[in-house]
Amino acid sequence: MHRFAAAPTLRWGPPSRVLARSSAARWKTASRSCLPFPSSFANDGHYRLFCSRPSNVQIIESVSEMRQARKQMGEKCVGFVPTMGALHEGHLSLAREASSECDEVVVSIFVNPTQFAPGEDLDKYPRDLDGDIKKLSDVEKVTTVFFPSVQEMYPQDGADVFVGVDNIEDRLAEGQCRPGHFRGVATVVTKLFNIVQPTKAYFGQKDGGQCILIRKVVEELKIDTKIQVVPTKREEDGLAMSSRNMYLSDEERPHAAVLFKALKSMEQEYSEGLHSAGHLLDVGKSVISEDNKTSLLYLDVSYADNGKPLENDEIELAIAP
């Protein structure tokens, strides 16, 4: 399979029950519709008001209690959807796919600092835990949200151990453009797989480089989890759904769709028998250059199983923005 890649409200539920804290990491339904939650829930030093429709989703904050919850699931098929929160329809499609194939579904919400390069958007990355829980409560079989703190996932005096992925990082344009990003992703996903022990884990095709990386991590580290890649969810104009889309201004938003236009042009050329990687890249770059409001960060054509540059035309084509 070939891969194309390019970088580019709080709802109120019925007043029947809410989530209320019952231990350091578990939540249960209560009889009132609204109540303030402690700062440890908000993770930002503030109380917040949280109202919810009836939900059986438990929120777990500690590694030890997540492991205990997994033990209680026993031999069930457990699906896992790792996220950084600010959930949208793309994330929910992963959860629904997991629900259709598994007995229980665990979703993690963790903004992983080690995958952000200096100067990137770690501090301003969108966070909406209340909204995320409300959305997940509508997805069948989502029973658990793992919501660890940075201190729970990494030593306070700094981490000494990371999962090295230098070869993949060097192969992919995204890795070259974002030094250390793939190492951070590989490290946190390995930790999460170790903690949750999922039968299957679900990722969006949108993050093509990440999918290549995680498949290699699972293969080479002998992790007993099956990786499921789910088709990209898009807006009406083709833009891939992303939590970062909210950064776009009203003026910028229409121009973002040029990424999908470029990819479709490349796909069309491929379908007509023009399989040269150089030609496909030129076509994509040409389409993007026609939009004077858009600057290209990177455009990559590679094999989806290992990230190596495209050298022949023997494998089915896939598109990831």
Side-chain angles (χ1 to χ4, degrees), residues 114-271:
T114 65
Q115 69 188 68
F116 289 78
E120 289 191 342
D121 58 337
L122 174 60
D123 292 337
K124 69 174 184 177
Y125 191 87
R127 293 163 171 85
D128 181 19
L129 182 62
D130 297 354
D132 292 345
I133 299 302
K134 285 174 179 284
K135 292 171 184 175
L136 291 171
S137 70
D138 289 334
V139 181
E140 185 181 5
K141 298 182 184 177
V142 174
T143 61
T144 305
V145 171
F146 182 42
F147 178 59
S149 66
V150 174
Q151 292 74 24
E152 189 73 13
M153 294 295 289
Y154 293 100
Q156 294 191 27
D157 57 353
D160 293 323
V161 177
F162 291 88
V163 177
V165 290
D166 291 350
N167 288 341
I168 294 177
E169 194 164 70
D170 290 342
R171 286 176 201 155
L172 295 172
E174 182 179 2
Q176 298 167 27
C177 185
R178 305 180 68 189
H181 170 68
F182 283 146
R183 184 183 78 156
V185 171
T187 299
V188 77
V189 168
T190 301
K191 286 174 180 260
L192 290 169
F193 284 176
N194 182 36
I195 296 164
V196 177
Q197 299 285 309
T199 312
K200 300 179 180 181
Y202 296 78
F203 296 87
Q205 190 184 44
K206 174 180 76 71
D207 299 307
Q210 178 175 279
C211 293
I212 292 171
L213 169 75
I214 292 166
R215 280 173 164 160
K216 293 299 289 182
V217 167
V218 166
E219 174 190 347
E220 296 196 13
L221 297 185
K222 311 302 180 185
I223 297 174
D224 189 19
T225 295
K226 184 177 180 180
I227 303 303
Q228 305 285 77
V229 177
V230 180
T232 302
K233 282 289 184 179
R234 299 183 180 278
E235 306 289 353
E236 290 185 3
D237 62 358
L239 178 65
M241 293 183 179
S242 170
S243 301
R244 288 185 168 103
N245 285 351
M246 64 178 62
Y247 294 161
L248 297 170
S249 68
D250 291 342
E251 179 182 356
E252 293 167 336
R253 172 59 184 82
H255 296 279
V258 74
L259 296 174
F260 184 62
K261 182 180 177 182
L263 294 173
K264 293 300 288 184
S265 297
M266 295 166 74
E267 182 184 42
Q268 180 63 33
E269 292 290 298
Y270 186 93
S271 69

